[in-house]
Amino acid sequence: MKNEIVVRALLFITILIFHSLIVCFAFTSPSDGSYTQHTSSSQYMMSNPSHPTPAQNVNEENSRPSKRRGARVAFVGNSILYFNDTPRFLVRLGKGGDHTTVTVQPRERGDTPYDSYIEHQDSCLCGGASLESLWSKGNRMLQHGFSTDSAKIATSDGTEVYDVGSPNVNDLLECNPKKDASWDFVVMNDHTQGPARPESRKATETILLERYVPLLLANWAIPIVIETAAYRIPGINNSEDLGSTRDFQSKVKDGVRSYLEAMQTKLPEYQTPRMAPVGFAYLTVHDNRRELWEKLFDEWDDFHPSPSGSFLQGCVLHNTMFGSPPPLPRTDDEIANLWMNARMMHSRTENKAMPLPSVVDAAFLWDVAKMVCEEEAKQLLK
């Protein structure tokens, strides 16, 4: 316990230092000594020509040399991922700025390195699903709200359809000649309570080994399992037996670790499973900025992510995939641009959208994501 307190204290001090540097960098200092904060992408672009505007972000993919590519990422899970459209959000989060070239580990096939952004994504998502039930139920995104104008895409014959993802997990991950390429990463999240209980944990390990791992092997894909955040209010959704928020989170983390260990017994070293420590990131915010932690949850149910929660989750996932943080949005316009083409932004009423993270909050959450992922990487080396 003492070691954990020391680690968290050091982590908080480091976050404060990074956060101070970033916030200072987001301001310009005129010759008269006054400070002005940039409030639009165009204003920031004038003083920082190397920083792309949202329009440049959208077109950047087409201007890349043909030998370079981004990662191909499949998403498998439930509403923790489809609230605020995490798959499309992550695509936009990684666009713009400089990118790290990720070296692909030796495989049984030839492959080229990819840059640290997502080139293509697809998904199989279903509200309330566990990894076990998702396998049998399949996709339910049309029923869950992906029937918006933003979800419409044009087919080759000019008709419009809704981009709701693949019909089931097998179709999403199956390798066949009709697909352009296999996946680099498969991001998965279980029902939040699933890994926290021994019975459901065991059932998930079984389905992972019997159904998911063969498809991961066929794709040469690295699995990433999200350590989802414990609920804001203890005891809701029949979680009374899981204890306090911190106890609940500890059980979730232990369960996710067991998933990784089970899959590792069947996967080669270059496909070593990874944990995305989203829950640890939430707790770090809880311990250092309690009022911001409250805002990470959907205000209507206290367990789904708000846009701020999705931003933190996205930053953690980007760090987990690529080993480096995403470009940091430094204006309100750039933050709004991250959800420009979201198929669904959750709100209880049509006229009341959930607020997006502020520039200052986004910088703090970006720091937290970077720090907790670095800590996770150090734990793996022990």
Side-chain angles (χ1 to χ4, degrees), residues 69 103-112 114 182-185 219-222 270-271:
R69 70 176 182 91
T103 302
V104 178
Q105 299 183 43
R107 304 181 177 185
E108 297 176 9
R109 61 171 183 174
D111 206 346
T112 57
Y114 46 80
S182 57
W183 300 106
D184 296 300
F185 298 100
N219 279 274
W220 291 281
I222 297 171
Y270 63 77
Q271 283 182 267

Side-chain angles (χ1 to χ4, degrees), residues 170-313:
N170 190 73
D171 186 80
L172 174 67
L173 302 183
E174 182 183 25
C175 292
N176 62 62
K178 294 181 180 180
K179 293 188 175 181
D180 296 332
S182 57
W183 300 106
D184 296 300
F185 298 100
V186 176
V187 173
M188 300 183 281
N189 85 285
D190 197 8
H191 189 285
T192 302
Q193 298 180 35
R197 292 192 176 93
E199 300 80 9
S200 51
R201 182 188 301 180
K202 184 62 177 177
T204 301
E205 290 175 3
T206 299
I207 198 74
L208 284 171
L209 294 177
E210 293 181 355
R211 301 296 186 184
Y212 287 82
V213 165
L215 294 171
L216 292 169
L217 287 168
N219 279 274
W220 291 281
I222 297 171
I224 295 176
V225 183
I226 299 174
E227 176 216 356
T228 51
Y231 305 151
R232 188 177 76 85
I233 299 178
I236 62 174
N237 295 340
N238 301 312
S239 64
E240 295 86 354
D241 60 310
L242 299 178
S244 67
T245 297
R246 194 173 299 279
D247 290 339
F248 188 173
Q249 194 63 64
S250 179
K251 292 180 174 71
V252 172
K253 186 172 185 177
D254 289 344
V256 171
R257 288 263 187 233
S258 74
Y259 294 170
L260 305 186
E261 291 169 1
M263 287 191 288
Q264 186 63 78
T265 63
K266 302 294 183 181
L267 293 172
E269 185 176 354
Y270 63 77
Q271 283 182 267
T272 296
R274 304 176 188 176
M275 180 174 69
V278 173
F280 181 27
Y282 267 60
L283 279 185
T284 301
V285 178
H286 171 279
D287 293 346
N288 298 298
R289 285 190 57 186
R290 179 62 181 263
E291 83 291 346
L292 179 55
W293 175 76
E294 299 271 350
K295 295 193 293 185
L296 299 179
F297 297 88
D298 186 285
E299 62 185 16
W300 298 105
D301 60 33
D302 297 309
F303 67 92
H304 281 112
S306 67
S308 292
S310 294
F311 180 86
L312 177 58
Q313 176 173 259

Side-chain angles (χ1 to χ4, degrees), residues 160-176:
E160 287 188 333
V161 298
Y162 290 116
D163 175 17
V164 296
S166 295
N168 54 65
V169 177
N170 190 73
D171 186 80
L172 174 67
L173 302 183
E174 182 183 25
C175 292
N176 62 62

Side-chain angles (χ1 to χ4, degrees), residues 113-126:
Y114 46 80
D115 286 353
S116 54
Y117 72 100
I118 297 176
E119 178 180 86
H120 176 70
Q121 64 82 19
D122 198 0
S123 60
C124 179
L125 307 173
C126 177

Side-chain angles (χ1 to χ4, degrees), residues 360-376:
V360 173
D361 287 350
F364 183 81
L365 296 173
W366 185 93
D367 283 337
V368 169
K370 181 175 183 291
M371 294 301 143
V372 299
C373 288
E374 288 177 349
E375 183 64 27
E376 172 65 15

